């Protein structure tokens, strides 16, 4: 949970027109020159993307952050957990700035360190010496990443979840002969979708509700489980439902449905393709003219793809407002305010992770970055290595019974 609140912007930034803000942002960028890098997540508004030096999903941006040498400031146009990861991965001299401190992530807030420590203690009591490897999605606080690093696990993103789970199943950082159980934070859907695509049946997965004793499970259920999935979800991707897929197919049988793996399992099973944000971007880029898409992810990305690919027909999978309201908080006034302060030598909204948390979360992030096949080299058109396998492919691969 964010402990610092965004101060109201000085009146001037609220009154400036958009063209005025753009001019001032340009000037501040020029003034800061090579001292500054701006990173932008795909879910940002077009107005912000226009100023980003690098655009990507959370995996690409974490790699980009790690590559920044010699810059003084990284302005992260994304959400809090991404800026924390950038701070952990950059040299200590680099100052990471989040233009609006209100840009959090409700999914990341669904797993606190206290709940995690409590769950770990209960699991150890039930499972005894049986190995458990904790894996956390990038969309979690630095404190959870540090817990995972300290307990032999790693971070994953939606681009590399499969590779990270394969690494974890072979023992994680601790190794050993016995296949460990996986405790997966905080997105149950990414965990379930990826584990299922790797051949684990649903009855080998349980959900851990941190508000209940033993996460709401019996000791026997915990002992029998291969995956313990934290009860967390993305409030944006949870809006997509299986009937939206049916409606799109009824409207046009030619439509290809592609969804993010933060969507529910039932939705992913009905889709034609599923994969990370970068995977979705790449599939659309590669598709021939005339391809019809219904895309199940954040609306700003879908609309951008629609404008970038007028030769294809692109719609959002559902007509609900699938908007990440916290990503949306990063806007021209906040970006302008943050940059103009930097020009004046004032570092506002700096995201700093404390030393101990930094040490162990860096371990967990570096494990992710070093896991073989955990992502292709970064370029604006990189193809993530491991999309989710979907029913047609899964049948071929003998995964579905
Ligand atoms: P990726 O950027 O890993 O695809 O995740 C999407 C997301 O929800 C970011 O918050
Ligand atoms: Fe968090 Fe979902 Fe927004 Fe991503 S899209 S930042 S997971 S709330």
């Amino acid at each position: 949970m964010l402990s610092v609140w965004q101060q109201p912007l000085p009146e001037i930034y609220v009154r400036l027109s958009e063209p005025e803000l753009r001019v001032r942002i340009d000037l501040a960028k020029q003034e800061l020159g090579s001292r500054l890098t701006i990173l932008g997540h795909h879910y940002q508004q077009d107005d912000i993307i226009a100023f980003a030096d690098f655009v990507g999903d959370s995996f690409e941006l974490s790699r980009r952050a790690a590559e920044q040498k010699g810059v003084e400031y990284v302005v992260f146009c994304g959400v809090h957990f991404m800026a924390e990861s950038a701070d952990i991965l950059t040299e200590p001299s680099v100052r990471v700035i989040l233009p609006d401190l209100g840009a959090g992530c409700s999914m990341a807030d669904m797993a606190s360190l206290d709940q995690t420590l409590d769950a770990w203690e209960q699991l150890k009591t039930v499972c005894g010496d049986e190995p458990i490897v904790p894996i956390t999605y990038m969309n979690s606080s630095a404190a959870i990443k540090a817990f995972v690093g300290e307990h032999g696990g790693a971070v994953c993103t939606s681009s590399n979840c499969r590779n990270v789970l394969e690494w974890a199943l072979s023992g994680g950082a601790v190794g050993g002969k016995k296949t460990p159980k996986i405790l997966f934070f905080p997105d149950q859907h990414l965990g379930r979708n990826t584990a299922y695509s790797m051949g684990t049946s649903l009855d080998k997965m349980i959900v851990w509700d941190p508000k209940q004793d033993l996460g709401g499970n019996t000791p026997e259920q915990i002992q029998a489980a291969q995956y313990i999935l934290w009860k967390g979800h993305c409030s944006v991707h949870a809006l997509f439902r299986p009937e939206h897929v049916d409606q799109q197919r009824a409207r046009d049988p030619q439509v290809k449905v592609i969804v993010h793996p933060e969507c529910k399992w039932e939705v992913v099973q009905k889709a034609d393709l599923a994969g990370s944000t970068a995977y979705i971007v790449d599939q659309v880029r590669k598709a021939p003219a005339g391809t019809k898409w219904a895309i199940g992810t954040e609306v700003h990305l879908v609309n951008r793809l629609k404008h970038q690919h007028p030769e294809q027909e692109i719609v959002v999978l559902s007509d609900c407002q699938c908007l990440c309201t916290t990503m949306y908080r990063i806007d021209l006034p906040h970006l302008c305010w943050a940059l103009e302060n930097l020009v004046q030598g004032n570092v506002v909204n700096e995201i700093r992770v404390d030393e101990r948390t930094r040490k162990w979360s860096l371990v967990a992030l570096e494990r992710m970055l070093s896991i073989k096949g955990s992502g292709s080299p970064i370029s604006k058109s990189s193809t993530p290595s491991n999309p989710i396998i979907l029913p047609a492919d899964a049948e071929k691969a003998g995964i579905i019974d």
Side-chain angles (χ1 to χ4, degrees):
M1 194 78 74
L2 295 179
S3 52
V4 188
W5 296 102
Q6 177 62 47
Q7 53 175 296
L9 291 187
E11 185 63 22
I12 172 80
Y13 292 99
V14 184
R15 279 195 281 105
L16 285 169
S17 69
E18 288 189 359
E20 286 169 324
L21 285 163
R22 284 196 197 95
V23 170
R24 288 176 68 148
I25 292 171
D26 255 334
L27 284 173
K29 262 195 95 174
Q30 278 171 35
E31 183 91 17
L32 292 161
S34 59
R35 295 160 66 204
L36 166 76
T37 298
I38 301 182
L39 302 179
H41 190 271
H42 284 303
Y43 297 171
Q44 291 288 300
Q45 309 173 45
D46 286 345
D47 275 344
I48 298 296
I49 291 291
F51 291 105
D53 296 303
F54 299 107
V55 179
D57 68 356
S58 50
F59 181 68
E60 284 190 29
L61 294 179
S62 65
R63 293 275 298 265
R64 282 292 179 198
E67 281 172 7
Q68 299 309 307
K69 307 274 181 252
V71 304
E72 275 175 60
Y73 308 117
V74 168
V75 171
F76 209 121
C77 298
V79 288
H80 190 266
F81 70 80
M82 297 179 183
E84 273 189 335
S85 298
D87 179 50
I88 295 159
L89 286 165
T90 47
E91 291 163 349
S93 60
V94 179
R95 321 234 356 220
V96 176
I97 289 123
L98 182 65
D100 185 334
L101 292 177
C105 166
S106 53
M107 177 202 285
D109 291 342
M110 287 176 195
S112 73
L113 183 60
D114 282 351
Q115 290 171 330
T116 301
L117 294 171
D118 187 35
W120 191 251
E121 205 179 294
Q122 293 187 56
L123 286 169
K124 286 288 165 188
T125 308
V126 172
C127 301
D129 289 340
E130 216 184 318
I132 307 175
V133 175
I135 298 295
T136 191
Y137 190 20
M138 182 68 105
N139 303 22
S140 56
S141 67
I144 302 294
K145 292 183 178 82
F147 170 86
V148 159
E150 204 170 353
H151 292 84
V155 175
C156 74
T157 71
S158 54
S159 280
N160 59 24
C161 189
R162 185 186 181 98
N163 296 94
V164 174
L165 289 184
E166 278 165 1
W167 170 85
L169 289 169
S170 68
V174 178
K177 288 205 180 80
K178 193 150 192 258
T179 305
K181 290 184 190 300
I182 311 289
L183 173 59
F184 191 89
F185 301 95
D187 184 15
Q188 57 170 303
H189 302 299
L190 178 66
R192 182 178 298 109
N193 286 322
T194 312
Y196 186 80
S197 76
M198 291 164 69
T200 305
S201 57
L202 296 183
D203 59 7
K204 287 282 174 198
M205 306 178 202
I206 55 170
V207 173
W208 185 277
D209 179 352
K211 298 198 174 100
Q212 295 192 48
D213 266 356
L214 296 183
N217 304 285
T218 63
E220 295 72 28
Q221 286 169 324
I222 294 171
Q223 278 150 5
Q226 174 72 71
Y227 284 88
I228 301 150
L229 306 171
W230 196 264
K231 194 177 177 192
H233 66 272
C234 164
S235 45
V236 179
H237 290 91
L239 294 172
F240 297 109
R241 298 196 308 271
E243 52 270 34
H244 294 138
V245 181
D246 298 336
Q247 283 158 10
Q248 291 295 341
R249 294 225 169 95
R251 187 184 56 83
D252 186 343
Q254 301 299 314
V255 76
K256 267 181 139 172
V257 177
I258 185 166
V259 300
H260 193 282
E262 286 174 16
C263 292
K264 290 176 185 149
W265 180 84
E266 301 87 310
V267 175
V268 169
Q269 290 308 300
K270 284 206 162 197
D272 297 296
L273 296 165
S276 68
T277 304
Y279 175 77
I280 294 172
V281 171
D282 205 59
Q283 291 302 305
V284 174
R285 272 191 191 137
K286 287 193 315 212
T291 307
K292 297 169 179 183
W293 295 102
I295 305 183
T297 194
E298 210 274 344
V299 68
H300 284 94
L301 174 59
V302 181
N303 285 340
R304 187 168 313 115
L305 287 170
K306 200 166 155 173
H307 292 133
Q308 287 171 346
H309 297 278
E311 79 289 359
Q312 302 186 35
E313 263 182 48
I314 297 175
V315 294
V316 188
L317 178 57
S318 94
D319 50 16
C320 59
Q321 276 304 309
C322 298
L323 164 98
C324 179
T325 50
T326 48
M327 286 268 182
Y328 192 65
R329 293 185 73 114
I330 309 291
D331 56 11
L332 291 176
H334 285 88
L335 182 59
C336 189
W337 169 73
L339 294 183
E340 290 191 341
N341 268 284
L342 291 182
V343 170
Q344 299 301 319
N346 301 327
V347 180
V348 289
N349 287 11
E350 184 173 8
I351 303 298
R352 252 302 167 214
V353 175
D354 69 80
E355 266 322 299
R356 190 175 188 284
T357 309
R358 183 175 205 276
K359 176 183 157 193
W360 284 108
S361 49
L362 183 60
V363 168
L365 281 161
E366 283 184 335
R367 281 188 192 133
M368 170 186 85
L369 293 173
S370 68
I371 289 169
K372 202 168 166 289
S374 75
S376 50
I378 296 208
S379 80
K380 284 198 179 179
S381 61
S382 66
T383 308
S385 54
N386 47 10
I388 301 283
I389 300 174
L390 282 154
D393 300 312
E395 256 161 26
K396 268 185 245 145
I399 287 173
I400 290 184
D401 297 336

